[in-house]
Amino acid sequence: MTLPEQRTGQMAPAMSVRGLVKHFDTKLAVSGVDLDVPAGSFYGLLGPNGAGKTTTLSMAVGLLRPDAGQAFLLGYDVWQAPVQAKSLVGVLPEGSRMFDRLSGPELLAYQGLLRGMPAATVDQRSRDLLDVLELGVDNRTLVVDYSAGMKKKIGLACALLHAPRLLVLDEPFEAVDPVSAALIRDILQRYVAGGGTVVFSSHVLEVVERLCSHVAIMSDGVLRMHGALDDVRAGRPLQDVFVQVVGGRVATGSELAWL
Amino acid sequence: MVQPAPDGGRGEATYNPGMRPRRGRRQPPPGPRLAPARSTRQGLGVWPFVKLKLRITANGLRGRPARVTLFVVGAFAATVLAVLGYAGFALPGLLGDERAAGMLLPFGGALLVLGWLFLPLLFFGVDESLDPARFALLPLRRRTLIAGLGVAALAGLPALATLTATAGMVDTAARLGGPLAGLAEALGVTAGLLLCVTLSRAVTSAFATALRSRRARDLATIMLAVVAASVGPLQLLLLGLLNRADWDNVAAIATVAGWTPLGAPYSMGLDVVAGRAWAVPIKLVIVLAAVGGLVWWWSRTLEQAMAGTATSGGRGPAARADGRGPVDQLMFRWWPRTRFGALVARETRYWWRENRRRAGLVALTMAGLFLPLTSALGPVTGMAGGMAFLVGAIAPVALSNQFGYDGSAYATNLSIGIPGRLEIHSRAAAHALFTVPLLVLVAVLAGAISGQPARIPAHLGTLFAVYGTGLALMLPISVRAAYALPESTGPFAVTSGGGLAKGLPSLAGMIGGLLGALPVVLAGYLLGTAWTWAGLPIGLGYGAAAYLVGSGIAGDLLDRRMPEVLAAVTPR
């Protein structure tokens, strides 16, 4: 597995969004999000379902045009200088946003060549990634027939292939079995230790608490709280902070007595 | 969406997860807790199903003016067809032509039944608003479910239109043989409607269970594409044969058809007219036996359909260690290892591996081969070459929603940032890899069949010109009017409504492409021998120029609209 080279002296934030706003029809999905992700951080974006995490990340990486606001990746404006910005970033999009009628190796080769990498490099790195993620270099199974965990792993491999300086991952641990999750965690930790920056969305608090150096909590399209993990927690369990910030019911009264 | 139980929803009484609905015999043990549940289930008639279906239809229209418009258009079309059908079937009675009635009613009726069988499979998809799988967790007896789904299927535009149209047969029978004949025909028509509905439900349910794996579904889509593509040519062939047939034979066949389940319901009144009233009960038994058999078949497959489609398809040809690297697995040996090469390689694989695209290719190939053949069988043999250019116009239609085929996977290209023109050129190139050989084949075939091999180059020129102008229009359309295809598990499921409006831009593009290439097409017709060799280079140049202009426009358009295209093709 190829690790990104050690990078030092990053001053500009790896990802920075200013005043992002997005409407879907009449619903306000994201309203005025400002966020700076420091270079070299492991950043968790938390929030309940429908909080606007995916929408925010999609706008930040140039998949969704915001109604208002700006997004910068490693100092490049995503909507003004998309080529430079996108070439330094690896993205794991939500759900099955992959060309899943290709086999895993084919998908990696496609990604690598589209990134303009030399064929030999693509081959070498793809083999490394397929080996480490236990997907098999000679596995001809189409990605559409992969299990959920395998799909996440091949998606992660695609995002890592060009050794980006920033990884943006949408729900990387969703529907992943514990073994694969541990493997993904290990890869991401090594990546950050090597100087990379990871931003990922999740609603699994345990994972975030264990991995992240920074967290942000969203709900109803608004950024409720953000900062270094310890500052956000302020000595309490993250679960308590999350419930307090997001609100909502966590216990039942006497209603379901018949259950 | 679950309809509350009619007893007002004392939920604890009906909730009974461990028990599968069973036929007959093993009744649950009577007890104070279960007693209300049993009475509830017996009290559940067919009305909740009908109400549920109407409610789902209404909710599908709510707040969507485009859907409402389409629904109104569909209702209008159904009304027109129903009235036309009524008029057609009533005509023999008005004319007092018993012989014509004897042919029209059984044949027309049989055609209706076949229509109920094939049209949902081929074109319209099955109305899945009452998908059996959604009732799987409810404690319903199979009999209740069958009755409910059947009656709900009757409550729809197609059933109403069919009933109205076939009422024309009652009219004819009553005019020819008095009220008794009319009554017999009314009985037959009603039984016929039951036959239509049970047939279509039973067959689609059987299909749904047979097509559980992805591979089987892919295969079935292609089979259907072949059938669909051959319907047109077969029709021409049939008309040609009918022209030569003599009417006595046809009448004899009609009499025989009247004794099959297809024609029996619709010829009952005619038997009374002809003084064979004894035939009516026999035919009624034939029809009801067919309906009963279909219901039995349906109930057999229903339980499997309720279990839903298993997602895990065949594992495919796994792990064949030939030591080729990932790049070599993706690309062909002689392919350039560049971005363009990778894009074309991926598109090429998708044209073969994605079943909707493959079905499109198969249909195009069928059309391409049959169009020259059938027009050769037609009245004027010289038409074979003349009609072939249509294939060039049909071919680009497959690209009219090319981003819709990708769906949200297009996010991959977007997050990498592929320039618009590169994207468009690569997709057109992959499409051309399949279509250009086909166009050459069509040109050769058309020239050979019409007995004028010397005209092959000119045909080819015309084909290329039409293909090029078609692409020039279709590529910008594919960027501008992209729409999401449903991510369906079943091959026949459609999102209700909207198919027509979404297909309109591609139809307009096809016609526009034909008009744009009109100079070359006309020159091919009018200039005769002078065109024989000039046709190829001129047509090729015309098509290439049109393509360059169109693809340039499409590429620039895509550069400005990439996120919008992604949003448009992402299924919701």
Side-chain angles (χ1 to χ4, degrees), chain A residues 171-213:
Chain A
E171 301 280 4
F173 299 104
E174 197 186 32
V176 177
D177 65 90
V179 177
S180 303
L183 182 62
I184 293 176
R185 267 205 311 271
D186 182 57
I187 291 172
L188 294 181
Q189 276 171 328
R190 286 178 63 188
Y191 172 80
V192 173
T197 309
V198 173
V199 183
F200 75 100
S201 69
S202 181
H203 46 235
V204 186
L205 297 172
E206 291 75 13
V207 174
V208 173
E209 204 158 15
R210 198 144 118 207
L211 284 178
C212 292
S213 62

Side-chain angles (χ1 to χ4, degrees), chain A residues 24 61-65 79 82-83 86-87 89 91 93-94 96-103 105-111 113-117 119-120 122-123 126-127 130 137-142 144-147 150 258, chain B residues 214-215 218 313-315 317-331 337-339 342-343 346 349-350 353-355 406 408-418 427 487 560-564 566-567 570:
Chain A
F24 290 120
V61 298
L63 290 177
L64 184 69
R65 200 187 297 278
W79 297 100
V83 178
K86 288 173 178 175
S87 65
V89 179
V91 179
E94 62 162 330
S96 59
R97 287 187 161 191
M98 285 179 285
F99 285 104
D100 54 12
R101 298 295 171 117
L102 298 179
S103 71
E106 286 172 350
L107 189 60
L108 281 173
Y110 177 67
Q111 287 267 352
L113 291 170
L114 282 199
R115 295 273 186 190
M117 294 157 63
V122 174
D123 265 342
S126 302
R127 282 177 194 279
L130 290 167
V137 179
D138 291 312
N139 190 349
R140 297 294 184 82
T141 312
L142 300 187
V144 68
D145 289 330
Y146 275 15
S147 66
M150 289 169 82
W258 51 266
Chain B
R214 192 170 53 75
R215 254 159 224 288
D218 289 3
R315 282 275 110 177
R320 196 177 54 196
D322 57 1
R324 290 194 306 158
V327 172
D328 290 334
Q329 287 181 30
L330 175 70
M331 313 285 266
R337 265 59 176 158
T338 60
R339 291 210 287 184
L343 282 165
R346 202 266 307 153
R349 303 224 178 269
Y350 257 62
R353 287 183 190 167
E354 217 267 337
N355 58 7
D406 290 353
S408 53
Y410 177 61
T412 303
N413 290 10
L414 181 50
S415 66
I416 293 172
I418 306 297
R427 285 166 186 265
E487 264 183 320
R560 290 196 300 274
R561 285 181 47 88
M562 275 183 202
E564 283 74 21
L566 175 64
T570 302

